[in-house]
Amino acid sequence: MILGIGTDLANIERIQGTLDRFGDRFKNRVFTDIEQRKAERRLDVAGTYAKRWAAKEACSKALGTGLRMGIAWKDMAVSNLRTGQPVMHVTGWAADRLAKMTPEGHEAIIHVTLTDDHPWAQAFVVIEARPIAREPLATPGDA
């Protein structure tokens, strides 16, 4: 079942302006060390930050709060699998919120997709609740 959906559109040029103006102060407030290392290795540094910014905004919307109610930017972080697929990790208040909205007997899965077409970066987040697979009960003679 779907627990939440969020989307966000970020202007890459606006993020570049913020990076130029505030530099490390901005990066350290919003992005984890892993996100910063990933962005700084890319040719389009601002585009990478903009996609992650959009993902955090989209995730906060999917959690049903937006960036309020105690959620922090670094409570949501994007990394990538070896295949390049983005993955959203939540900690702190975001993880608490996710746990509260996940029905008993289910696990929450956060799906995220990112794209950009200069000057725009976009993210979609879908939070899904899947039933937890249970071990089959032993039957007589299973020893």
Side-chain angles (χ1 to χ4, degrees):
M1 85 181 69
I2 303 298
L3 298 179
I5 300 172
T7 186
D8 193 67
L9 185 65
N11 185 288
I12 297 168
E13 292 169 0
R14 186 178 130 234
I15 297 296
Q16 180 64 65
T18 303
L19 289 166
D20 293 343
R21 185 169 178 200
F22 298 105
D24 287 344
R25 189 170 136 216
F26 168 67
K27 291 187 272 189
N28 292 333
R29 181 175 155 249
V30 176
F31 302 100
T32 65
D33 292 340
I34 292 169
E35 289 173 311
Q36 290 181 49
R37 283 194 301 272
K38 176 77 168 186
E40 298 298 328
R41 287 193 311 261
R42 293 287 179 94
L43 289 176
D44 184 10
V45 173
T48 302
Y49 280 123
K51 285 186 279 189
R52 278 150 177 73
W53 172 279
K56 291 169 187 267
E57 286 274 9
C59 185
S60 72
K61 293 171 185 175
L63 289 168
T65 64
L67 284 159
R68 57 184 176 87
M69 296 176 56
I71 200 165
W73 286 103
K74 288 184 174 181
D75 285 348
M76 301 163 289
V78 178
S79 65
N80 296 84
L81 301 177
R82 289 178 187 233
T83 61
Q85 177 184 348
V87 179
M88 178 67 69
H89 307 275
V90 293
T91 59
W93 191 92
D96 293 344
R97 171 71 180 150
L98 182 62
K100 286 178 184 165
M101 61 191 286
T102 304
E104 190 173 327
H106 289 73
E107 62 180 337
I109 310 296
I110 303 174
H111 304 277
V112 60
T113 186
L114 308 172
T115 191
D116 65 288
D117 187 7
H118 198 84
W120 300 106
Q122 186 173 33
F124 285 96
V125 170
V126 175
I127 301 175
E128 172 190 12
R130 288 186 191 162
I132 296 171
R134 305 219 186 269
E135 293 291 322
L137 296 175
T139 56
D142 283 356

